[in-house]
Amino acid sequence: MELVGEFFGTAVLILLGDGVVAGVLLEKSKAKDGGWITITTAWALAVCFGVLVAKALGSPGAHLNPAVTLSVCIQSGDYSIFLPYAVAQVSGAALGAFLVYLHYLPHWKETKDPGKILAVFSTEPAIKHTLSNVISEGFGTFLLILGIHAIFSPLNGGASGIADTGFVALLVWAIGLSMGGTTGYAINPARDLGPRIVHSLIKIPNKGDSGWKYAWLPVVIPLVGGGLAAVVIRWVIV
């Protein structure tokens, strides 16, 4: 049941998250040019409802993110869940992206900019500078894992039920507003990889390259950043 929850929770995350990007970027959308506040707010809400769906369908941890799963594995010392969770998350993200494609079906042919089409599915840096992009994704994911630890910490009184979900959504909102302008804040390998695969496979009018030269970074670096945060939590903070 955990894998079912991770699959559908991540699908909801991407449907709502990539969906707002499509609404803001694609031509003839009524949300066109809604801006960064709209995108970051909707992504935060996407996290909230993705987590709730995952929990309701059998995944109490509601990771929705291989970097979160890896951090849990490092802190527990048990890595057995990492691969199956990651597969479920990437697959769910792919489904969510495909549903976005279907939802905005007539808008693709009206959008002539292949960069905007790719941006609906996956992240690209505002300025391509590998070291800076690595720092952005690594630092953002480090803060995500550290922030989740703080939300659940007994020293902060802990959190439970809807409350913890809301605080995690606020954390993602803050990261997006404050740090997301550099790379688009993937901070989640599944969020970037699953939709990028869909972009590469399906026929979309006016689409260009799927950006595979950059694609390693939003997959690998969030795992590194999340892993480092988990090491700090396990051996320094706790």
Side-chain angles (χ1 to χ4, degrees):
M1 290 300 291
E2 289 90 348
L3 298 182
V4 172
E6 291 294 325
F7 177 83
F8 284 106
T10 309
V12 168
L13 168 70
I14 300 303
L15 173 58
L16 298 179
D18 281 2
V20 70
V21 180
V24 169
L25 294 184
L26 297 183
E27 296 298 330
K28 297 191 177 180
S29 161
K30 292 189 176 184
K32 183 76 167 60
D33 298 323
W36 193 243
I37 300 296
T38 300
I39 289 173
T40 55
T41 302
W43 266 106
L45 293 172
V47 169
C48 180
F49 290 104
V51 167
L52 290 175
V53 168
K55 289 183 175 182
L57 295 182
S59 181
H63 300 172
L64 313 186
N65 182 342
V68 173
T69 302
L70 179 61
S71 74
V72 170
C73 293
I74 290 173
Q75 292 176 66
S76 68
D78 179 6
Y79 294 84
S80 63
I81 67 168
F82 177 74
L83 185 58
Y85 268 52
V87 170
Q89 292 155 358
V90 172
S91 301
L95 172 62
F98 184 69
L99 293 176
V100 171
Y101 163 74
L102 292 178
H103 186 81
Y104 285 92
L105 197 59
H107 294 266
W108 305 105
K109 67 179 180 180
E110 303 293 337
T111 306
K112 308 305 180 184
D113 185 345
K116 289 184 177 180
I117 292 173
L118 178 60
V120 172
F121 292 88
S122 56
T123 62
E124 288 288 318
I127 298 175
K128 290 187 177 181
H129 185 275
T130 301
L131 178 58
S132 296
N133 303 154
V134 165
I135 291 171
S136 295
E137 284 296 327
F139 191 23
T141 314
F142 187 99
L143 183 58
L144 173 68
I145 301 304
L146 186 63
I148 291 172
H149 175 76
I151 290 168
F152 288 91
S153 173
L155 296 177
N156 281 326
S160 61
I162 299 295
D164 60 23
T165 303
F167 277 113
V168 172
L170 287 174
L171 171 63
V172 173
W173 194 18
I175 291 172
L177 288 171
S178 301
M179 304 170 67
T182 53
T183 60
Y185 72 118
I187 60 176
N188 180 344
R191 173 266 175 274
D192 198 88
L193 180 58
R196 197 182 297 267
I197 291 171
V198 170
H199 178 273
S200 70
L201 292 178
I202 63 178
K203 186 175 181 180
I204 305 173
N206 305 313
K207 86 168 183 179
D209 183 79
S210 296
W212 287 110
K213 287 181 68 175
Y214 176 77
W216 69 270
L217 197 150
V219 173
V220 174
I221 301 306
L223 292 173
V224 174
L228 287 174
V231 168
V232 170
I233 292 167
R234 181 172 180 180
W235 281 287
V236 178
I237 296 176
V238 178

